[in-house]
Amino acid sequence: MGIIRSQSIRTSIITFLGFGIGGITILLVAKYVDPEVMGLTRFFISVATVVYALSHLGSITMMNKFYPWYRDLLPAPKRDIFGLVLILCGIGFLLCTGGFFLFQDLIIKKFGTKSAYVVDYYFYLIPFSLFYLLFVVFENFSYNQYKSIFPIMLKEVGLRVEQLVLYLLFLFGALSLPQFVMSYTLVYAVLLGLLIFYLYRQGDLVFSFSVSSVTRKLAKRMVTFNATLYLGAVISVVAANIDNFSISSRDGLKMGFVFEFATYVSTFILLPQRNVVAIAIPVLAANWKNRDMASIGNIYRRSSNTMLTYSVLLLGLIWLNVQNTFDILALNPIYYAGIPVILYMGLKAVVEMSFGVASQITGTSNYWRVEFYSTLALGAIAIPFNIWFNKLFGIQGNAMANLISAIVGGMVRFGFLYYQFKLQPFTRRTLYIILLGIGSYFIAQFIDVANPWSNVILRTITFCAIYGGAVIAFRLSDDVTEAFNKIIKSRLKP
């Protein structure tokens, strides 16, 4: 847990900085940019993530699983697994490019009426998806070199700075809409170039295309692993983006961005998870290789406890202040339709955080098929329920479907780890944290003054004082207490 904790503190600072820049950006565009234009950019991301899942042919998951063997048994110049990843990604992307042409008429039929921009800028999706794919490939390669700080900085801060600059240029008329879309297509190309240059300067851009003895030895296991998890990875990504596709096709790009705006607010809750997961994957893979169950169990429990503590805090603050915040910002009334989405997506984030790194534990173990089955279960709910609930309840239905799928997927992984290894992340402190969060929320919500600014400030202070004070006083989270002692108490010493 030491590597994870030490690196996650630094990456959390980077992530929160990026989220702050992103928050300024999304508020700026929500007030001044046509939601349909913003819905188009979100559609680009959704398509690119699906193309990524299809194109890498399972190779990135395979690399994350088996890289410790290559690290231990081969010098860097002879490690061919990354070369294999690049070859498979190239083949996969060529097939996906053919799919863009093959399904062009279907896309026009589905999106042409409510989302005309999708048709107008359809072929811009190809280069955007390519650069996104390559960036994620090199990002994961960097993680396996234990170099997580810089790629996270690029993804969390660099990307959002690029986006902010482009939106400002568009707002001030320096870029026309076609020029803006063309420039947006290249945002991941810039990040990719910077990451490759960084890896080169660090001396880590070393790999081989020649088949090694390790690959020959592990080939059968790698092929089985790849073939099984690939379908699950595709289903997982489709399930994660089906909400945007169903909303954009049925309700238009405008409502797609309203959903994105609401989801962005709730995404704030997931920020600590993203960094812990990125750092934990290579550590867990190494622990499985060494059969260190004690370390795996410790990571499981502490990640669940820490992320649940933060997620309850953040959801409480968001839901206490969401109505007042919307009133203060004086947003277009269309965005108020996303308020229920914030609650459901916030609860989904808390559920995901409460299970800690369960997904990464199963995914890096020899029982990785469980991750495949849990992904199938999640997709079997998320995909049809998103389509069905959208018809019944609009964008609120999409959020409800996502919450249900998160609960099911989490319980499948939890059940397996407990049954197979007697690993489970929950303790008595888990219940205390949840009850404390609910109690603190109900106490803080009794504050109701006329001025929305005063309401936000007083509710925030009250909730943080009660919840945060109790967490630290009763040591409900070891990591939170250790962070408090290190950051706060050390500064109070004479």
Side-chain angles (χ1 to χ4, degrees):
M1 195 68 185
I3 293 175
I4 297 174
R5 182 169 60 246
S6 63
Q7 291 195 30
S8 65
I9 291 174
R10 287 179 288 174
T11 56
S12 291
I13 295 172
I14 294 171
T15 302
F16 279 102
L17 174 62
F19 191 87
I21 297 171
I24 293 171
T25 303
I26 202 167
L27 288 174
L28 179 71
V29 298
K31 288 185 71 69
Y32 300 111
V33 178
D34 183 354
E36 190 167 0
V37 174
M38 300 312 304
L40 177 65
T41 62
R42 181 65 186 90
F43 186 83
F44 266 53
I45 294 292
S46 293
V47 171
T49 53
V50 172
V51 171
Y52 152 74
L54 291 168
S55 296
H56 73 71
L57 300 177
S59 61
I60 293 179
T61 309
M62 179 185 69
M63 176 175 67
N64 292 334
K65 164 68 175 174
F66 291 100
Y67 201 88
W69 276 265
Y70 288 82
R71 186 189 300 114
D72 292 347
L73 300 174
L74 291 173
K78 293 187 177 181
R79 297 172 193 165
D80 58 318
I81 189 168
F82 186 61
L84 180 61
V85 169
L86 291 175
I87 292 171
L88 290 174
C89 287
I91 295 171
F93 186 77
L94 287 175
L95 294 174
C96 285
T97 301
F100 275 104
F101 292 93
L102 182 64
F103 295 108
Q104 182 181 3
D105 292 340
L106 177 62
I107 297 299
I108 292 174
K109 180 181 178 180
K110 287 289 184 181
F111 294 92
T113 303
K114 293 291 185 68
S115 304
Y117 283 159
V118 171
V119 178
D120 294 340
Y121 298 102
Y122 178 69
F123 287 107
Y124 285 80
L125 290 166
I126 297 177
F128 183 83
S129 299
L130 173 62
F131 295 131
Y132 179 87
L133 167 67
L134 291 175
F135 176 76
V136 177
V137 168
F138 280 90
E139 176 191 18
N140 278 268
F141 177 71
S142 184
Y143 292 154
N144 279 288
Q145 313 307 311
Y146 295 120
K147 301 289 176 61
S148 61
I149 305 297
F150 189 73
I152 289 175
M153 184 175 68
L154 287 177
K155 183 172 62 176
E156 302 294 347
V157 178
L159 175 63
R160 292 188 170 105
V161 169
E162 284 187 279
Q163 291 172 332
L164 178 58
V165 170
L166 289 179
Y167 293 138
L168 288 173
L169 291 174
F170 179 63
L171 277 175
F172 288 108
L175 293 176
S176 64
L177 180 57
Q179 290 171 332
F180 168 78
V181 177
M182 181 178 294
S183 301
Y184 192 83
T185 302
L186 301 175
V187 291
Y188 279 100
V190 175
L191 301 182
L192 173 63
L194 292 172
L195 181 54
I196 291 176
F197 181 72
Y198 166 78
L199 290 170
Y200 174 76
R201 289 295 299 269
Q202 292 290 311
D204 292 315
L205 196 62
V206 181
F207 57 93
S208 173
F209 287 104
S210 299
V211 178
S212 68
S213 58
V214 176
T215 297
R216 294 190 184 95
K217 182 179 179 180
L218 297 176
K220 185 176 180 180
R221 291 176 61 188
M222 290 168 66
V223 170
T224 304
F225 178 86
N226 210 25
T228 305
L229 285 193
Y230 174 60
L231 177 60
V234 173
I235 292 174
S236 177
V237 171
V238 172
N241 291 277
I242 190 63
D243 48 23
N244 184 267
F245 294 139
S246 63
I247 293 169
S248 297
S249 63
R250 186 175 183 273
D251 304 315
L253 290 173
K254 286 186 178 182
M255 292 308 296
F257 182 66
V258 171
F259 186 87
E260 168 66 11
F261 181 82
T263 301
Y264 190 85
V265 175
S266 61
T267 300
F268 187 66
I269 300 169
L270 288 171
L271 291 183
Q273 181 197 49
R274 294 160 67 178
N275 296 328
V276 171
V277 166
I279 299 164
I281 287 175
V283 177
L284 287 169
N287 285 336
W288 277 116
K289 176 179 176 294
N290 298 324
R291 302 185 184 280
D292 189 350
M293 296 304 300
S295 294
I296 293 171
N298 183 51
I299 293 172
Y300 192 18
R301 288 188 299 273
R302 293 191 68 152
S303 64
S304 169
N305 175 269
T306 303
M307 292 196 289
L308 177 64
T309 302
Y310 281 115
S311 64
V312 171
L313 169 68
L314 296 174
L315 177 60
L317 290 175
I318 289 170
W319 193 242
L320 273 171
N321 299 309
V322 62
Q323 188 70 46
N324 285 303
T325 303
F326 272 51
D327 293 341
I328 291 169
L329 295 173
L331 294 175
N332 186 317
I334 192 175
Y335 290 102
Y336 282 78
I339 289 180
V341 173
I342 293 174
L343 176 61
Y344 288 115
M345 295 300 286
L347 290 171
K348 172 180 177 287
V350 172
V351 168
E352 291 180 354
M353 296 277 273
S354 69
F355 287 108
V357 292
S359 175
Q360 289 68 43
I361 292 174
T362 56
T364 54
S365 74
N366 290 330
Y367 296 90
W368 39 264
R369 289 182 180 84
V370 175
E371 187 62 23
F372 170 71
Y373 296 131
S374 63
T375 300
L376 287 182
L378 186 149
I381 293 174
I383 295 173
F385 271 57
N386 261 279
I387 298 171
W388 180 32
F389 278 22
N390 177 261
K391 293 179 180 179
L392 294 176
F393 309 111
I395 63 173
Q396 180 178 333
N398 293 95
M400 295 165 61
N402 289 339
L403 172 59
I404 294 171
S405 65
I407 294 172
V408 172
M411 289 304 299
V412 170
R413 298 182 186 102
F414 168 84
F416 168 76
L417 289 173
Y418 182 75
Y419 173 78
Q420 186 68 35
F421 303 106
K422 294 298 182 286
L423 292 175
Q424 67 95 9
F426 304 126
T427 65
R428 191 173 297 176
R429 293 192 294 182
T430 303
L431 178 61
Y432 294 157
I433 290 168
I434 294 172
L435 293 177
L436 176 62
I438 294 172
S440 302
Y441 170 83
F442 280 113
I443 293 172
Q445 76 158 353
F446 281 115
I447 298 174
D448 190 14
V449 296
N451 186 288
W453 281 102
S454 300
N455 225 25
V456 169
I457 293 171
L458 292 174
R459 286 183 169 190
T460 299
I461 292 174
T462 302
F463 183 83
C464 288
I466 298 172
Y467 179 80
V471 167
I472 294 170
F474 296 103
R475 299 185 64 89
L476 297 182
S477 173
D478 292 334
D479 285 328
V480 172
T481 302
E482 290 174 13
F484 176 80
N485 291 335
K486 183 176 181 181
I487 297 172
I488 305 299
K489 284 190 175 182
S490 63
R491 298 184 184 278
L492 296 178
K493 292 181 179 179

